[in-house]
Amino acid sequence: MYQADHHLVLAPIRGVTNYILRNALEQTFGGADSSISPYIVTKENGELNKRQLEDSLFAKNLIPTTAQILTKEVDQFIHAAKHFKDLGVQKVNLNMGCPYPMVANRTKGSGLLLHPGRVEKLLTEIKEKCPLELSVKIRLGRESKDEIKEIIPIINALDIKDFTIHARLGKQLYKGVVDLDGFEECLPLLKYTPCYNGDIKTPSDFEKISKRFPQIKRWMIGRAALSNPALLSQIRGEEYNEQKYRALFIKMHKLMSEEYLSRENAKSDYLQRMREHWLYFKDVFVDERKVYKKIKKAKSIDEFHNVIDWALDQEISDEVLN
C-alpha cells in the first residue's frame, strides 16, 4: 500500500522520458516525486550533445530531475558532471544497468557488472572527484544474480546512499519476469535501503511488491507509466473514469505536441519523436494495434494531427482505468 513517505521516481527511457514528457505528465496526471533523465553518451573528445545536456536543466523541469551518464571512463563522467553542475543540476546518476548488447558489449551499462574490479576503480574515482551528489542505477547482474553481490561491498564502502536495483539481469533486456527473490537477497547485504525498479505495471502490482518489501520507500517506474500515464497517481490513490482520463490525456498530448513544435528545427524530427511516444501511448486504447498502425502511416504533420484527432476519440481500455 502507498504510504506518505513513499517516493515515486519516473525512470529514464532513452528518446521518450525527456523534459517535454516529464513536464506534461506533471501538469496533467502528476504522481512523480522525481525523475532521472535518459542517459547522455560521453565521447573521448569531450563532445556532449547539447539537447541531452539541457534536458536536465533545472529551469526546464517541473519536478526534481537527476542527470544520467553512460560511460566506463572516469574522466568522461567527471567532464559531463561538471557541465551538468553549471546547468544547475543537483545530482548525477551512473548508468550500470543498460541491458542492450551494443552498450553492454562495450563494457558499459550492465556490461560493467561482469568486471567488479573495474567497477570499484570507476566508482571510487568518481566518488572522489564528482562535483555533484552521486547515485547509481544497476541490475542484479549481466549474466547472473551473483554478480551484484560483488558490487554491493563497493557501494557500501563508498557510502553511496542513492542506489536503484532493477530486479532483472541485463541479458533479459526487458523480457521475462523480475527476480524478487534475487532482489530480496540483496537487502541484508546493503548498508542503505535501495530504490526498487521492475515490473510495477498496475496499482495492484505496487500493492503486492510493497507488501513484500515494507522497508522499501523509493520506487522507480518507467515503461508502465508511459503505457498508462495515470499509473503513478493511481498508485497514490487517485481514481479515473473514462471522461476524466481522456480529458487529461488530451491535455498532456497537446502540451507535448506544442512544446516539440516550438523547438528549433522541430519539424524535422517531430513525427519520429511522437511515434516513439505512441509506442507506449497506444496502450491507453482498446484497439491499440489499429491506433498505432494509423499513426505510423502518417507521412506529414497535418496527416499525423488528423490521425491523432481520431485516435484521441477511441475507446479507452479498462486496464488503465480504476
Side-chain angles (χ1 to χ4, degrees):
M1 174 178 277
Y2 177 80
Q3 305 288 338
D5 60 348
H6 283 163
H7 185 104
L8 303 182
V9 185
L10 180 64
I13 299 176
R14 191 160 169 79
V16 183
T17 58
N18 56 18
Y19 83 92
I20 293 176
L21 178 133
R22 297 192 299 264
N23 287 351
L25 180 64
E26 175 64 12
Q27 290 173 285
T28 53
F29 295 98
D33 293 293
S34 65
S35 68
I36 297 181
S37 63
Y39 64 74
I40 190 169
V41 178
T42 64
K43 297 181 181 179
E44 192 173 343
N45 65 6
E47 181 184 348
L48 296 168
N49 182 287
K50 182 180 177 182
R51 183 174 284 183
Q52 291 178 350
L53 269 176
E54 293 183 350
D55 186 65
S56 301
L57 186 67
F58 178 80
K60 275 190 174 182
N61 286 276
L62 298 179
I63 59 174
T65 299
T66 295
Q68 187 179 72
I69 301 171
L70 178 75
T71 188
K72 61 182 178 181
E73 304 294 343
V74 174
D75 58 341
Q76 293 179 24
F77 185 97
I78 300 304
H79 174 68
K82 287 178 178 177
H83 278 275
F84 280 125
K85 183 180 180 182
D86 291 342
L87 294 173
V89 175
Q90 302 294 311
K91 185 186 293 187
V92 67
N93 179 273
L94 174 63
N95 182 321
M96 287 175 39
C98 182
Y100 294 110
M102 64 180 293
V103 170
N105 291 342
R106 296 175 181 175
T107 324
K108 298 180 182 180
S110 63
L112 278 166
L113 304 181
L114 295 170
H115 308 278
R118 187 161 192 166
V119 169
E120 182 172 20
K121 183 177 186 298
L122 179 68
L123 284 177
T124 299
E125 292 190 33
I126 285 176
K127 189 71 163 41
E128 178 184 334
K129 300 174 182 178
C130 187
L132 298 170
E133 182 181 349
L134 176 66
S135 70
V136 175
K137 189 172 186 291
I138 196 170
R139 289 199 173 207
L140 292 174
R142 176 66 195 168
E143 302 290 337
S144 164
K145 67 178 182 179
D146 293 329
E147 292 162 21
I148 195 173
K149 292 168 186 173
E150 295 191 62
I151 307 297
I152 286 174
I154 302 167
I155 297 295
N156 289 342
L158 293 173
D159 209 41
I160 295 173
K161 300 179 177 69
D162 191 340
F163 182 61
T164 298
I165 301 174
H166 184 140
R168 272 190 177 85
L169 299 175
K171 69 179 182 180
Q172 287 182 263
L173 301 181
Y174 294 97
K175 300 173 184 176
V177 297
V178 290
D179 185 353
L180 296 180
D181 292 338
F183 177 81
E184 188 168 25
E185 289 170 15
C186 296
L187 297 180
L189 305 177
L190 281 160
K191 183 176 180 180
Y192 299 103
T193 305
C195 173
Y196 173 87
N197 178 217
D199 278 10
I200 298 177
K201 299 178 180 179
T202 65
S204 62
D205 289 337
F206 181 81
E207 292 286 325
K208 291 174 192 172
I209 298 175
S210 62
K211 185 175 182 180
R212 177 166 176 173
F213 302 118
Q215 67 271 56
I216 301 297
K217 303 301 180 184
R218 294 173 60 85
W219 306 87
M220 182 177 287
I221 303 173
R223 293 168 298 146
L226 305 178
S227 292
N228 173 16
L231 176 60
L232 297 170
S233 60
Q234 287 171 336
I235 287 171
R236 293 175 177 275
E238 190 72 28
E239 296 185 355
Y240 296 89
N241 58 27
E242 184 168 355
Q243 181 181 10
K244 180 180 177 181
Y245 195 108
R246 188 187 304 278
L248 288 172
F249 185 71
I250 289 172
K251 181 181 178 183
M252 180 179 174
H253 194 274
K254 183 173 184 289
L255 288 168
M256 291 175 62
S257 180
E258 289 175 347
E259 182 63 22
Y260 273 121
L261 288 173
S262 73
R263 301 202 299 184
E264 185 178 353
N265 299 321
K267 292 185 178 180
S268 63
D269 66 351
Y270 173 75
L271 291 179
Q272 179 59 33
R273 291 286 183 177
M274 295 306 289
R275 286 191 194 108
E276 289 174 350
H277 290 296
W278 276 92
L279 275 170
Y280 299 93
F281 287 166
K282 65 178 172 38
D283 296 330
V284 167
F285 301 95
V286 170
D287 197 345
E288 76 279 6
R289 291 186 180 181
K290 184 177 180 180
V291 166
Y292 191 64
K293 185 177 180 180
K294 283 181 173 287
I295 285 170
K296 280 206 309 183
K297 284 185 174 181
K299 303 299 183 186
S300 69
I301 292 176
D302 286 343
E303 185 180 355
F304 174 79
H305 287 164
N306 288 335
V307 172
I308 292 302
D309 287 343
W310 167 84
L312 293 175
D313 198 39
Q314 299 306 297
E315 183 180 358
I316 291 177
S317 171
D318 286 341
E319 293 184 11
V320 302
L321 301 176
N322 59 344

